[in-house]
Amino acid sequence: IVNWVQSSRGFNSLYLQAEALAGILKAALGVETHVWAADRRETRKLLKALVSGMPVIWHYGGFDPLLLLTGWLYDPILIYQNITPARFFWRSDPLVGLRAVAGRIQVRMLHRKRWVAMGRYNEEELVRLGCTNVKCWTNALATDYRSDSTKTRSPQVVFAGRIVENKNCLELIEGVERAADVLKVPVRLVIVGSAKKVSRYSRGLARGLQEVRERGRVECIWHESRLSRRELSDLYAESWLFVSASLHEGFGLPHCEAILQGTPATYLECGATEEVLEGHGMVPLNRRSGFGDAIARLLDSVVEREALLRLQAEVVEQYTDVALVRRVGDVLLPWLRVERAPASSA
């Protein structure tokens, strides 16, 4: 089975999920799996696989020129993570906005193809785009490393994700600064994620971080280079909270990864994450002015943090790779044209 992605860069959730799904399929079905990427120049291998009839799972993250031809000639299984709406990018990166529009048009053109939606939120979006052959699956959380790092002595919060406009990082910084004002103690904010150096949004974020540092109430650390999965897991584990002011999420994978490492998440209402986490830890958009106060309450009370973590940890357990191995065959097996391996081989 081939898992195909456009990019294998760090912080690319499609590539990480392609790797995770490959491992789950191998464990559940006992079949050989590959993860190939366009930026590694493996397109020729992909085309040979399609021609030969090998099952291909295509992780779709936006308009893909290669699908203009192969999507009609062949029948890959298309995994839909989500396309961030174009409205978030017109001011900061219009080309990305155009690609988002083109992506939605392409999904409509491929509405009769086999689609797998990552979560109910994305399933509903595919149906709205006219897709008629949709199965529902989910992102996977790796359980091969549980950090034993201890919490920092002073309050530390963390955010991880791509640094683009819908992530709303300037409002996040304001919320953390408000929490520091309420608590009357400094708070460290660690941001993990890369941004385009020349984008209007990244320049504005850099200025915002500098202004906050100068005021001295929040210590801001921005890791633009890629952290290893172990380093990121340790960072999650030592932080008090995962915080996100994102205005649009197709799942909320970093939130779940932090919870798996023993750190609860609080976040603005953003689409899919409140569905994934069953609303636990969410601040509604009509109360977004109180986001900083919500962060402060959780930082001020270990009892509230632990209570939130218990609720969220119970929810995210269903998304672990161990749990998904038992379910993947029921969802994808009819489309893969492979036989399930005997139980002893799984």
Side-chain angles (χ1 to χ4, degrees), residues 4 14 37 51 112 143 152 189 195 202 219 229 260 262 281 344:
W4 174 255
L14 268 69
V51 171
R112 296 185 184 278
T143 57
T152 56
L189 167 63
S202 62
E219 178 190 356
R229 191 151 63 86
L260 200 64
S344 59

Side-chain angles (χ1 to χ4, degrees), residues 61-91:
F63 177 73
D64 191 338
L66 191 57
L67 265 177
L68 291 175
L69 178 62
T70 57
W72 293 106
L73 292 178
Y74 305 104
D75 193 24
I77 299 170
L78 300 166
I79 301 278
Y80 184 75
Q81 292 276 358
N82 191 257
I83 299 175
T84 303
R87 67 178 184 272
F88 290 108
F89 302 111
W90 293 131
R91 292 172 55 195

Side-chain angles (χ1 to χ4, degrees), residues 151-152 183 239-241 262 264 295-310:
K151 300 296 182 187
T152 56
L183 296 173
S239 298
W240 293 24
L241 276 178
I295 295 172
R297 283 194 299 273
L298 286 166
L299 291 179
D300 195 41
S301 173
V302 65
V303 174
E304 286 198 32
R305 291 199 305 275
E306 289 178 349
L308 178 59
L309 178 62
R310 283 195 296 272

